[in-house]
Amino acid sequence: MFTDEVLDGVEIQSVWRKRNQLATETRDSQTRAVHYEESGVQTRGSTTAQSSQTEEAAHHPHQQVDFLGGHQEALQGLKDFLHGVEDMVLRALAANAKSHAFDGFHVNWEEHSHMVSCVHRMHHPSAQEKALHVTCVSWNSTGSVIACAYGRMDDGDWTSEKSYVCTWNLDRGGVNAERADLVIDVHSAVTALCFHPTLPNVITGGLYSGEVVVWDTSRTQDPLVAQTGMSAQSHREPVYQVVWVPCRGSRDLGVLSGSSGGRVLLWKLESDQRRLLLSEGYAFVREQVPHSSYAHTKAHGSAMVGVTSLAVSPWHSDTFVVGSEGGLLLKCSFSSQTPAAVPRCDHQEDVAGSVTLRAPAVFCFRATNHSPVHSIHWSPFHRNLFLSTGTDGLVHLHSVLQANPLLSVRVSDSSYVFQVRWSPTRPLVFAAATGQGAVQVFDLGRRSIRPVASMDVGGVGGVATCLAFNHRAPGLLALGSTHGHLHVWTLSAELTEQQPNEMLRLEQLAAEVAE
Amino acid sequence: MTADLQYSHPLDLHPFLLATDEHEEERSCQEDRQQAVVIMAEVEETLKRIQTHKGVIGTIVVNAEGIPIRTTLDNSTTVQYAGLLHQLTMKARSTVRDIDPQNDLTFLRIRSKKHEIMVAPDKEFLLIIIQNPNE
């Protein structure tokens, strides 16, 4: 009867959903790939440096030590500052130029002495016994030691007399006038002497026999340090001048010696061998000397021009002036390369280390008379001026640029003038040692050329042979006489202190053209 | 539906690197330089007026630390003058102010045998003139 029956369900599909879904579709869309490029940007130039530099650099009278850090504010500050002070400064400058407020106003800072007086008078008894003359004096580099050399001024022959070099220390109290602090025995007369410019105990001397010797005064045993041997190339005639000069290429100084044999030789010190080695040599042969008016003199005897004095320029290390026996004044140069036409004597071996002699003469000043030039001194204040003196009693002021002397000062009436030296402190003052026994000091700034001071060496017939100013203590002047005495004088303050217009007057003198 | 796309340049993020701003900066630097040139010319003119006055040997301008910034003398002399006079001016100024605190140093003149040195002081600078009154 009853049986299970399974009936299918009845499905009715919903109508509303279908209706809405009918309208939908899925679609894809894709945009095209975006096109892009890279490009970099950079600022042109670094403009943040801000260095303010003026465009016209060539016409700058002012050196630019610093650019003020480049900040414009600082520059503006400088401009404002200068603007503010300019008026005040210009007014002060103008008033100063016209003012006479300080005319003749001098301040006394130190004790001024107005006297020229002799403070020491020294001699060496054994030299005096032999009647030797003081031939040259020299102060050492510290200014406390004075050395004098004994010899003869009037001998013309070879002499084998022994002589002395004596030194006194003036700054140690108690100078003994009879006893020198150090006496060096020398086997021949000494004709030239020069202390080392920086080492206070080294002296060099030139002997009558033609040797050049170096002593060291601090060695008590034997002061002799080095000497030249008698070689074919050393001097054979008396050495009249020795000077310490800087050697080129080394810091040591060499000795330049000039002798009447016509040679000027430069020696270097080799202390281990106790010898002075010849480093350079110059010879003066008559034919090679540039003459200006010398062609008429007959050349007797040797063809060499004997050198009696020489002076190295302190301004220009290449130039030196040489005075000869015949009155020639020659300007020479160390670097000249012309070989000298030295007559080769027989028996002259070519020793190893011999030096070719060169002819250094460049220019000849007009000779005023044909007698030996005793002394030349270069001015320490002007690069072109030097003094020269000979036997005619005149001191000539020369300029290196002209052949004629600028000025001639009559120092003594008819006697020889043995030495002339400029003062180390006053540009216009010089001192001359005359044959009449007095040292005269002249001041070129004065209108009348008469001696400002005159120092007598005393004694009858004494001749003042040499003088030297002390560079450290400018008031001291040492002079030697033929009596064998060494005098030390102090100069007055007016002779040692520079006046305001002296350099100007010196420049004017140097610029004059000699007629 | 519309898609909004903006074309964007990657460097848009950094606007000040663009070319237009660059030119502006350069222009202002050039103006500065021109102005500096003008000021410098005036400074030089003033110093030249002082330097060419009768008798003047040298002129030095020193900054507040004592370092010379303008000079007509050689280097070693300048350094010497600048150092010594800077110290002396400071000492002179302190002397004047110690005596009277309301007072101050306006000018310093040192007369020597050979010439006269004049110093015009300021907060930042020092002007030193060396004159030879005898000429």
Side-chain angles (χ1 to χ4, degrees):
Chain A
M1 127 131 97
F2 293 98
T3 48
D4 285 33
E5 273 206 26
V6 176
L7 285 171
D8 300 350
V10 175
E11 273 180 41
I12 305 169
Q13 285 190 332
S14 77
V15 173
W16 67 271
R17 199 177 271 184
K18 237 189 181 167
R19 205 192 298 142
N20 282 352
Q21 274 184 351
L22 266 170
T24 62
E25 281 179 8
T26 54
R27 277 207 180 257
D28 282 20
S29 72
Q30 199 175 22
T31 54
R32 262 174 291 171
V34 175
H35 204 71
Y36 52 87
E37 288 176 4
E38 297 263 344
S39 66
V41 173
Q42 235 179 357
T43 52
R44 261 172 284 156
S46 51
T47 52
T48 52
Q50 282 206 41
S51 59
S52 48
Q53 200 172 8
T54 51
E55 309 298 311
E56 62 294 302
H59 307 293
H60 253 208
H62 287 84
Q63 263 182 47
Q64 282 181 335
V65 180
D66 180 28
F67 292 124
L68 283 175
H71 293 298
Q72 195 162 327
E73 302 85 47
L75 203 59
Q76 182 72 29
L78 178 61
K79 170 178 168 257
D80 293 335
F81 160 66
L82 284 175
H83 194 63
V85 296
E86 184 191 354
D87 283 335
M88 177 169 55
V89 161
L90 285 176
R91 252 185 294 132
L93 284 172
N96 219 10
K98 285 185 291 194
S99 138
H100 292 285
F102 288 98
D103 281 357
F105 178 67
H106 296 299
V107 175
N108 281 341
W109 278 106
E110 285 150 11
E111 284 279 323
H112 279 190
S113 64
H114 295 282
M115 303 254 292
V116 172
S117 60
C118 184
V119 277
H120 297 290
R121 204 173 276 123
M122 288 123 33
H123 62 273
H124 184 62
S126 11
Q128 264 203 311
E129 281 160 30
K130 294 197 220 169
L132 287 175
H133 310 157
V134 176
T135 48
C136 31
V137 287
S138 176
W139 291 92
N140 81 337
S141 61
T142 60
S144 22
V145 177
I146 177 85
C148 73
Y150 284 96
R152 281 201 185 278
M153 302 289 291
D154 49 4
D155 261 352
D157 299 327
W158 281 97
T159 171
S160 57
E161 213 173 297
K162 282 188 191 290
S163 73
Y164 309 95
V165 170
C166 304
T167 70
W168 277 270
N169 188 328
L170 299 178
D171 285 345
R172 244 189 267 162
V175 171
N176 191 336
E178 305 267 323
R179 218 171 79 93
D181 290 338
L182 176 67
V183 178
I184 306 174
D185 292 314
V186 187
H187 58 86
S188 157
V190 182
T191 44
L193 195 68
C194 184
F195 256 109
H196 195 280
T198 46
L199 298 174
N201 48 347
V202 177
I203 328 177
T204 176
L207 304 185
Y208 196 82
S209 56
E211 289 177 354
V212 174
V213 190
V214 176
W215 293 288
D216 182 343
T217 56
S218 62
R219 287 159 51 146
T220 41
Q221 285 287 16
D222 179 18
L224 185 67
V225 168
Q227 61 181 23
T228 61
M230 291 298 284
S231 75
Q233 292 207 313
S234 61
H235 297 293
R236 297 300 174 87
E237 303 262 328
V239 175
Y240 279 112
Q241 191 105 32
V242 281
V243 187
W244 288 97
V245 291
C247 290
R248 264 164 314 160
S250 81
R251 299 250 232 96
D252 296 330
L253 301 185
V255 178
L256 190 72
S257 61
S259 87
S260 51
R263 299 211 194 148
V264 170
L265 303 175
L266 179 64
W267 307 89
K268 277 216 184 102
L269 197 62
E270 303 280 325
S271 51
D272 48 339
Q273 295 168 22
R274 291 175 61 95
R275 280 174 71 86
L276 279 169
L277 291 185
L278 185 56
S279 132
E280 278 166 30
Y282 305 92
F284 293 88
V285 181
R286 192 147 288 169
E287 292 87 41
Q288 283 183 316
V289 164
H291 314 312
S292 54
S293 58
Y294 198 56
H296 308 296
T297 47
K298 313 174 199 55
H300 287 301
S302 72
M304 307 290 289
V305 176
V307 169
T308 48
S309 55
L310 72 96
V312 180
S313 164
W315 303 88
H316 189 216
S317 58
D318 192 44
T319 321
F320 64 104
V321 173
V322 147
S324 81
E325 276 171 342
L328 278 180
L329 270 180
L330 300 167
K331 174 173 129 170
C332 313
S333 137
F334 279 119
S335 55
S336 116
Q337 297 294 331
T338 347
V342 176
R344 286 180 67 88
C345 3
D346 29 339
H347 314 302
Q348 193 173 21
E349 326 87 63
D350 271 329
V351 185
S354 69
V355 168
T356 43
L357 297 174
R358 309 205 292 254
V362 167
F363 178 66
C364 178
F365 299 97
R366 190 175 73 86
T368 40
N369 66 338
H370 300 294
S371 55
V373 176
H374 281 141
S375 168
I376 307 180
H377 196 212
W378 213 290
S379 165
F381 289 94
H382 197 286
R383 58 184 304 129
N384 286 342
L385 294 178
F386 65 93
L387 291 171
S388 78
T389 179
T391 55
D392 49 1
L394 293 173
V395 168
H396 303 281
L397 174 69
H398 286 264
S399 161
V400 169
L401 308 171
Q402 297 173 38
N404 287 340
L406 292 173
L407 196 62
S408 300
V409 177
R410 176 152 291 282
V411 169
S412 77
D413 286 324
S414 56
S415 65
Y416 295 6
V417 180
F418 286 103
Q419 190 149 45
V420 70
R421 283 276 177 268
W422 288 101
S423 157
T425 46
R426 285 201 58 191
L428 292 172
V429 169
F430 65 89
T434 67
Q436 283 163 343
V439 167
Q440 321 259 25
V441 178
F442 286 86
D443 183 352
L444 292 174
R446 298 211 177 184
R447 254 169 278 138
S448 74
I449 304 295
R450 280 195 310 136
V452 171
S454 176
M455 288 163 264
D456 210 10
V457 293
V460 178
V463 169
T465 52
C466 45
L467 66 100
F469 278 96
N470 187 340
H471 286 259
R472 289 301 175 114
L476 291 181
L477 173 63
L479 41 114
S481 74
T482 47
H483 290 307
H485 284 276
L486 176 66
H487 297 243
V488 176
W489 289 71
T490 48
L491 299 173
S492 65
E494 10 178 73
L495 289 175
T496 49
E497 284 180 5
Q498 219 180 47
Q499 310 292 324
N501 282 338
E502 272 197 67
M503 277 307 297
L504 199 62
R505 177 90 187 98
L506 193 68
E507 303 271 340
Q508 281 172 352
L509 266 179
E512 277 170 16
V513 177
E515 68 284 346
Chain B
M1 188 165 109
T2 53
D4 247 5
L5 276 172
Q6 269 189 330
Y7 181 91
S8 98
H9 195 284
L11 290 174
D12 249 354
L13 301 167
H14 312 284
F16 57 86
L17 281 181
L18 284 182
T20 49
D21 283 348
E22 221 178 85
H23 279 155
E24 269 174 27
E25 194 174 287
E26 210 181 84
R27 237 181 288 134
S28 66
C29 284
Q30 221 169 30
E31 276 170 10
D32 276 349
R33 223 184 296 164
Q34 279 173 355
Q35 212 180 3
V37 166
V38 168
I39 296 181
M40 185 65 82
E42 287 185 34
V43 163
E44 294 297 333
E45 214 182 282
T46 311
L47 283 173
K48 188 165 172 192
R49 269 201 292 270
I50 296 176
Q51 176 64 26
T52 51
H53 199 278
K54 181 169 182 249
V56 172
I57 298 171
T59 314
I60 306 171
V61 180
V62 179
N63 73 355
E65 287 126 25
I67 300 170
I69 52 182
R70 281 283 180 291
T71 175
T72 58
L73 302 169
D74 60 285
N75 207 17
S76 53
T77 318
T78 302
V79 166
Q80 202 178 24
Y81 268 106
L84 293 170
L85 286 167
H86 183 72
Q87 291 176 26
L88 185 63
T89 313
M90 294 300 119
K91 184 74 182 168
R93 183 166 184 245
S94 70
T95 306
V96 168
R97 289 174 67 103
D98 280 349
I99 294 173
D100 179 5
Q102 309 298 321
N103 206 355
D104 207 343
L105 180 70
T106 51
F107 205 65
L108 181 64
R109 286 164 69 162
I110 304 168
R111 190 160 183 121
S112 70
K113 253 192 338 192
K114 296 190 190 173
H115 30 246
E116 177 152 336
I117 303 171
M118 296 187 218
V119 181
D122 184 67
K123 189 170 64 138
E124 293 158 19
F125 300 99
L126 210 66
L127 175 67
I128 302 170
I129 302 127
I130 302 136
Q131 184 195 26
N132 182 357
N134 297 325
E135 256 182 45

